[in-house]
Amino acid sequence: MKLSLKSVATLSAVSALVVSPLFFAGSASAQAVRFDGSYVGAGVGGSVTQGGRGNDESKFGGNIQGRFAVPNAPVSVRGSVLFDGDNSVVIPSLTYDIPVANKTNVYVGAGYGFVQNDGRTSQLGNKDAAVISAGVESEVARGVVVYSDAKYGINAYEGGAGSVSLVGGVGLRF
């Protein structure tokens, strides 16, 4: 599945239209309580795309993900490590968090993926690349957070193809 920058822009525009009613809801509607905690979690993930050349197959593995909530701001600093038996990618990012339900946020953000072994396939391509992400997180019990997101590595494969990775996991709030 090869996604172009144009298709990513279209997907982003459609997503913005879907989410925009949250910003313009009247004062009569109940306000969601934003999840504003920081956490570290672990789970599984995998790429759902291939680069179209040799040594760029889809990968399945694990993830470690963390969130540091910036106090009194709707943004967070995040870090992700996607790993498998052959390679890993480290992705620091900044996200904008939107409350959608009690202690549940959706988020969109941007960062950069640093592949440990360039040229060898990871869950997010086989070279360093800019990354955009969208996901959801929710505190489901006191101190327990579940999260899931999609990450798109722009030109993350040698040859210019993009890469999509889906991850999910459980974290502990601190």
Side-chain angles (χ1 to χ4, degrees):
M1 179 171 142
K2 185 175 178 182
L3 295 176
S4 68
L5 191 53
K6 182 178 177 181
S7 62
V8 171
T10 303
L11 180 61
S12 298
V14 170
S15 298
L17 288 174
V18 170
V19 173
S20 65
L22 297 172
F23 294 107
F24 302 109
S27 61
S29 65
Q31 294 293 322
V33 176
R34 182 173 68 111
F35 170 66
D36 61 356
S38 299
Y39 64 87
V40 174
V44 297
S47 58
V48 294
T49 54
Q50 298 180 17
R53 297 178 176 201
N55 192 30
D56 59 4
E57 66 279 355
S58 296
K59 289 285 194 162
F60 179 78
N63 76 75
I64 299 171
Q65 189 154 299
R67 174 190 191 238
F68 175 74
V70 176
N72 303 316
V75 296
S76 298
V77 177
R78 296 177 190 267
S80 300
V81 178
L82 309 180
F83 59 89
D84 58 59
D86 298 324
N87 207 353
S88 62
V89 58
V90 176
I91 309 164
S93 61
L94 181 67
T95 62
Y96 183 77
D97 310 322
I98 305 160
V100 293
N102 193 28
K103 296 188 179 183
T104 302
N105 295 338
V106 295
Y107 55 89
V108 294
Y112 199 81
F114 298 94
V115 175
Q116 178 185 8
N117 297 312
D118 277 348
R120 178 174 262 168
T121 301
S122 73
Q123 290 182 52
L124 197 62
N126 59 11
K127 68 179 187 107
D128 297 352
V131 177
I132 55 175
S133 61
V136 62
E137 63 197 355
S138 183
E139 186 173 24
V140 294
R142 185 177 176 107
V144 178
V145 178
V146 295
Y147 63 89
S148 178
D149 67 29
K151 299 178 187 325
Y152 177 70
I154 301 169
N155 298 327
Y157 284 111
E158 293 173 358
S163 177
V164 176
S165 182
L166 304 176
V167 302
V170 177
L172 297 176
R173 184 177 176 167
F174 61 89

